[in-house]
């Protein structure tokens, strides 16, 4: 089965927010189409749909995808381009693009009579760059906003030891063939990244020192610091096994293990040059394994409060 991993874009700026203070937004929103990420299914986004509809009156359609549907990607294994690392979206991903097309047609039926506002696309994880492939193939005259949540946008770096392009060239195709991001009144790209955990290298100590302004029990990695009865106040206990494991995933994406990210996608990989790039503190990657209190994901109510205004007029 193919796996889709994100890539690094070093040329970007971003806006950093905390998820603590909700923001208000006007009504009369465009219909939104939610595009599931790799391995996710339509039902994973029920909570997000409920939040958008009940709190903000945003009509939503989720592209119809089941977990078993992703096994269709295994067809790429018989394509010689897979083994060359030059795989293209068609035909291996045509099934997904057809689901997007159907969801957009359904969403257009939700528009109020006489409205011509366009559709908002919300792409989670791989759904973000798959939205760009859809727009390259089918056009974007019906789309006024692409908002991505923890999505990859560029291929992983070349020539970095231990880094393998697990998309087998798909993100190279996106970088070379899909339209660059824009932020205009007619079409806006908004790329949101989460800062949930900092990864760590397999070997070596903590990548950053403890915060001396706190009580000393944690450092900026979220790892424990041990008391030091000598000259300094605290010494780092070192990255956890989890941080090292997450770091290896980050490295495959952006070439760096000690990056910040949402637990799956590094922050630097979820931004795209030309878009409005936003970073949200404490946000986890997936609806699977998340909760709305201790591990909120991009679709948790407190996090939606920080980006929903982009969907509203």
């Amino acid at each position: 089965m193919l796996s889709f991993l994100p890539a690094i874009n070093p040329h970007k700026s971003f806006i950093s927010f905390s998820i603590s203070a909700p923001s208000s937004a006007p009504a009369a929103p465009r219909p939104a189409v939610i595009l599931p990420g790799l391995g996710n299914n339509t039902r994973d986004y029920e909570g997000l749909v409920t939040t958008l509809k009940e709190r903000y009156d945003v009509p939503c359609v989720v592209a119809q995808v089941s977990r078993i549907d992703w096994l269709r990607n295994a067809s790429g294994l018989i394509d010689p381009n897979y083994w060359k690392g030059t795989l293209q979206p068609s035909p291996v991903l045509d099934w997904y693009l057809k689901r997007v097309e159907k969801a957009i047609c359904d969403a257009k039926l939700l528009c109020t009579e006489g409205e011509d506002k366009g559709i908002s696309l919300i792409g989670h994880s791989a759904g973000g760059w798959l939205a760009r492939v859809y727009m390259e193939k089918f056009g974007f005259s019906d789309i006024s906003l692409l908002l991505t949540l923890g999505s990859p946008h560029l291929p992983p770096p070349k020539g970095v030891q231990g880094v393998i392009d697990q998309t087998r060239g798909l993100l190279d195709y996106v970088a070379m063939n899909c339209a660059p991001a824009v932020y205009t009144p007619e079409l806006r790209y908004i790329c949101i990244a989460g800062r949930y955990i900092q990864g760590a290298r397999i070997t070596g100590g903590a990548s950053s020192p403890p915060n001396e302004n706190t009580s000393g029990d944690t450092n900026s990695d979220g790892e424990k610091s041990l008391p030091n009865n000598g000259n300094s106040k605290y010494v780092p206990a070192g990255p956890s096994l989890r941080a090292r494991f997450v770091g290896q995933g980050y490295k495959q994406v952006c070439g760096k293990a000690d990056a910040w990210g949402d637990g799956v996608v590094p922050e630097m990989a979820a931004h795209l040059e030309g878009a409005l790039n936003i970073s949200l503190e404490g946000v986890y990657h997936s609806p699977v394994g998340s909760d709305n209190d201790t591990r909120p994901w991009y679709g948790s109510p407190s996090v939606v409060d920080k980006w929903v205004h982009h969907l509203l007029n």
Side-chain angles (χ1 to χ4, degrees):
M1 174 177 173
L2 293 179
S3 63
F4 301 129
L5 286 179
I8 183 171
N9 179 3
H11 306 294
K12 50 89 181 155
S13 58
F14 63 85
I15 305 169
S16 183
F17 291 98
S18 167
I19 64 172
S20 58
S23 58
S24 59
R30 298 172 295 273
V33 173
I34 299 172
L35 308 185
L38 176 67
N40 291 110
N41 65 21
T42 302
R43 291 179 125 190
D44 290 338
Y45 302 90
E46 289 178 348
L48 173 57
V49 170
T50 298
T51 298
L52 291 174
K53 179 60 180 176
E54 294 185 354
R55 296 180 104 177
Y56 304 102
D57 200 29
V58 176
C60 294
V61 176
V62 184
Q64 293 298 307
V65 176
S66 67
R67 295 198 210 285
I68 199 169
D69 279 330
W70 293 104
L71 293 177
R72 297 168 183 262
N73 295 345
S75 64
L77 293 171
I78 64 175
D79 187 335
N81 289 304
Y82 176 90
W83 304 103
K84 296 176 184 176
T86 56
L87 194 64
Q88 297 189 9
S90 185
V92 67
L93 290 169
D94 285 348
W95 70 270
Y96 189 97
L97 301 180
K98 290 177 181 177
R99 307 292 176 87
V100 177
E101 184 180 26
K102 175 63 165 58
I104 289 176
C105 289
D106 292 344
K108 289 171 66 176
L109 298 177
L110 301 177
C111 293
T112 304
E113 185 176 355
E115 287 183 327
D116 187 21
K117 302 175 183 177
I119 302 298
S120 297
L121 290 186
I122 303 174
H124 170 236
S125 195
W129 65 261
L130 284 164
R132 297 177 64 201
V133 173
Y134 173 87
M135 293 164 69
E136 181 265 330
K137 184 172 182 178
F138 294 93
F140 45 86
S141 59
D142 295 325
I143 300 166
S144 59
L145 169 67
L146 171 59
L147 187 145
T148 65
L149 305 172
S151 295
H153 293 290
L154 292 176
K158 304 294 190 294
V160 178
Q161 185 176 8
V163 174
I164 299 173
D165 179 7
Q166 297 188 42
T167 73
R168 307 310 300 159
L170 287 170
L171 287 175
D172 284 300
Y173 177 93
V174 172
M176 291 186 292
N177 294 277
C178 294
V182 294
Y183 191 79
T184 67
E186 294 76 26
L187 178 62
R188 293 176 294 152
Y189 284 61
I190 300 171
C191 301
I192 300 179
R195 288 172 53 87
Y196 178 76
I197 183 172
Q198 184 177 22
R201 297 181 293 274
I202 287 292
T203 59
S207 56
S208 57
N211 184 349
E212 295 182 357
N213 295 322
T214 68
S215 60
D217 59 346
T218 60
N219 63 20
S220 60
D221 295 336
E223 307 296 346
K224 295 294 182 181
S225 295
L226 301 177
N228 179 2
N229 296 322
N231 295 325
S232 61
K233 190 174 182 181
Y234 291 98
V235 295
S240 67
L241 181 61
R242 181 187 180 196
R244 296 180 195 273
F245 177 80
V246 168
Q248 293 314 295
Y250 289 169
K251 182 178 178 180
Q252 294 302 311
V253 173
C254 68
K256 292 179 58 179
D258 55 355
W260 274 94
D262 61 16
V264 174
V265 177
E267 177 186 16
M268 64 180 70
H271 290 162
L272 183 61
E273 183 178 8
L276 174 62
N277 294 307
I278 299 170
S279 290
L280 299 177
E281 297 291 336
V283 177
Y284 182 65
H285 180 77
S286 176
V288 179
S290 69
D291 61 66
N292 293 334
D293 298 318
T294 62
R295 186 186 285 182
W297 82 287
Y298 296 100
S300 295
S302 61
V303 183
V304 173
D305 285 344
K306 304 308 300 180
W307 56 257
V308 69
H309 57 283
H310 295 292
L311 303 183
L312 309 177
N313 294 310

